[in-house]
């Protein structure tokens, strides 16, 4: 695996009124059901930060370390980048309360909900930023509860040298089949590990292909059973999992998404400029190479551009 991500190739065009006004570059890999690359573009072997697309693997590591969750909905929330809707916040709060903790135990920064409707609801009610509202609060709640179960200190649980993070690093390296090329600080303050897009796609395929009862399959099944907890009512990955049978999907910041379907294959991609608007059109074109089609994919294939409140163009995948 190369040491530096070399950047991608043109994957989507921004077309307004028939005029190409912009281009999104990036990299994408498509694996078949056996985990072999069948298509790709850009740099698919050098490391990138998958950002929140790492969360399902982190959830696997927490469960392996003894995180005591019997409800699959809670497992889905630990792997989530939730929108801060009321049902998200209530469940995160319950995860903490059941362990005798409050949101003060979380290291993720106080924030307003990621989802626009949820954010407006908090502000209308006179509320403000809170740790439990931050989109990674489910992951952090899982982390502190894992520490309690394993007998590890809560202090510094987010630092790379902490036993929890060492455990999660080992898990990610095992599932991706790669050594982490770099350790960074994610937006929530927890570590984020750099792996290649090929390693990321391989990990998602491994999760959906694992035998029932394994920890990998437990996380994949929980996310697919409770997609609203993974993202939110209108989140991309939530709607994709609702609309494509068997699909496991997780978005990440900076234009990343990974997805897999058992006995079909997997996709991982990164849009170089971080634009989320180009993510799903490219994913749709990649899944088409695996003969995966569904109404939700048609909806996401060419997101419209508006002019005066009316559609005047679209984001067109070009790969």
């Amino acid at each position: 695996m190369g040491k530096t991500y070399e950047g991608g190739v043109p994957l989507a065009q921004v077309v307004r009124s028939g005029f190409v006004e912009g281009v999104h570059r990036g990299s994408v890999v498509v694996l078949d059901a056996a985990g072999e690359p069948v298509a790709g573009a850009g740099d698919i072997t050098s490391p990138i930060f998958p950002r929140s697309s790492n969360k399902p693997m982190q959830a696997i590591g927490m469960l392996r370390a003894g995180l005591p969750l019997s409800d699959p909905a809670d497992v889905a929330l630990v792997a989530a980048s939730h929108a801060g809707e009321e049902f998200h916040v209530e469940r995160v709060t319950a995860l903490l309360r059941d362990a005798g903790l409050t949101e003060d135990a979380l290291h993720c920064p106080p924030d307003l909900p990621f989802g626009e409707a949820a954010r407006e609801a908090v502000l209308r009610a006179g509320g403000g930023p809170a740790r439990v509202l931050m989109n990674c609060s489910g992951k952090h709640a899982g982390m502190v509860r894992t520490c309690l179960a394993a007998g590890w200190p809560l202090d510094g649980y987010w630092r790379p040298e902490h036993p929890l993070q060492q455990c999660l690093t080992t898990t990610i390296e095992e599932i991706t089949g790669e050594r982490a090329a770099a350790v960074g600080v994610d937006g929530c303050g927890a570590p984020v590990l750099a792996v290649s897009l090929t390693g990321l796609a391989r990990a998602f395929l491994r999760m959906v292909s694992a035998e029932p009862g394994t920890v990998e399959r437990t996380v994949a099944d929980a996310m697919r059973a409770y997609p609203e907890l993974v993202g939110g009512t209108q989140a991309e990955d939530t709607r994709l999992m609702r609309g494509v049978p068997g699909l496991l999907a997780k978005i990440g910041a900076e234009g990343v998404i990974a997805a897999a379907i058992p006995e079909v294959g997997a996709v991982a991609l990164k849009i170089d400029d971080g634009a989320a608007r180009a993510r799903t059109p490219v994913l749709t074109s990649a899944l088409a190479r695996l003969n995966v089609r569904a109404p939700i994919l048609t909806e996401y294939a060419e997101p419209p551009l508006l002019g005066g409140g009316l559609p005047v163009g679209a984001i067109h995948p070009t790969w």
Side-chain angles (χ1 to χ4, degrees):
M1 185 171 67
K3 293 183 179 180
T4 303
Y5 176 63
E6 296 179 356
V9 298
L11 295 179
Q13 290 181 338
V14 182
V15 182
R16 181 179 297 275
S17 304
F19 181 83
V20 178
E21 66 171 347
V23 175
H24 292 291
R25 302 173 66 91
S27 300
V28 55
V29 63
V30 182
L31 306 183
D32 64 16
E36 295 299 321
V38 294
D43 186 355
I44 62 173
T45 59
S46 296
I48 60 135
F49 281 139
R51 302 296 295 274
S52 286
S53 294
N54 272 344
K55 285 179 178 175
M57 293 180 280
Q58 292 172 312
I60 291 169
M62 292 183 227
L63 290 175
R64 287 181 177 178
L67 175 60
L69 297 181
S70 58
D71 189 337
D74 288 332
V75 175
L77 188 64
V78 168
S81 299
H82 66 74
E85 296 171 82
E86 186 175 355
F87 60 93
H88 295 127
V89 178
E90 288 178 351
R91 188 166 285 273
V92 174
T93 302
L95 273 176
L96 295 168
R97 184 177 61 246
D98 290 348
L101 300 171
T102 69
E103 66 176 307
D104 292 337
L106 306 180
H107 179 68
C108 57
D111 202 355
L112 288 169
F114 182 75
E116 182 178 354
R119 183 168 58 250
E120 291 177 353
V122 168
L123 294 174
R124 282 198 305 269
R131 295 183 191 278
V132 74
L133 298 177
M134 201 265 174
N135 74 92
C136 298
S137 64
K139 177 182 76 174
H140 279 258
M143 286 181 171
V144 295
R145 288 204 53 174
T146 301
C147 289
L148 291 178
W152 294 328
L154 293 185
D155 184 43
Y157 75 84
W158 59 90
R159 296 194 177 99
E161 64 273 13
H162 190 280
L164 169 69
Q165 301 303 335
Q166 291 293 303
C167 171
L168 302 189
T169 296
T170 298
T171 300
I172 291 174
E173 290 181 337
E174 176 201 331
I175 297 175
T176 61
E178 298 179 358
R179 292 294 301 272
V183 180
V185 180
D186 213 335
C188 65
V192 58
L193 306 183
V195 296
S196 73
L197 287 171
T198 299
L200 181 61
R202 187 187 300 122
F204 272 64
L205 185 60
R206 177 173 174 176
M207 285 185 268
V208 299
S209 303
E211 291 295 322
T214 59
V215 178
E216 295 93 331
R217 182 66 176 272
T218 294
V219 172
D221 286 351
M223 293 173 67
R224 291 180 292 184
Y226 296 95
E228 286 83 5
L229 289 171
V230 174
T233 306
Q234 297 301 319
E236 293 169 49
D237 40 15
T238 294
R239 299 189 69 226
L240 287 166
M241 286 190 282
R242 279 204 307 250
V244 181
L247 182 74
L248 173 70
K250 183 69 188 72
I251 61 172
E254 295 301 320
V256 175
I257 191 168
I261 303 176
E263 300 181 1
V264 176
V267 173
L269 66 91
K270 174 178 173 58
I271 304 302
D272 287 351
D273 63 7
R277 67 180 182 177
R279 188 163 48 196
T280 46
V282 177
L283 176 69
T284 297
S285 66
L287 288 173
R289 293 169 186 255
L290 295 171
N291 295 315
V292 178
R293 291 174 174 82
I296 186 65
L297 296 178
T298 302
E299 176 183 337
Y300 275 134
E302 295 188 341
L305 295 176
L306 302 182
L310 299 174
V312 296
I315 311 296
H316 293 284
T318 57
W319 176 76

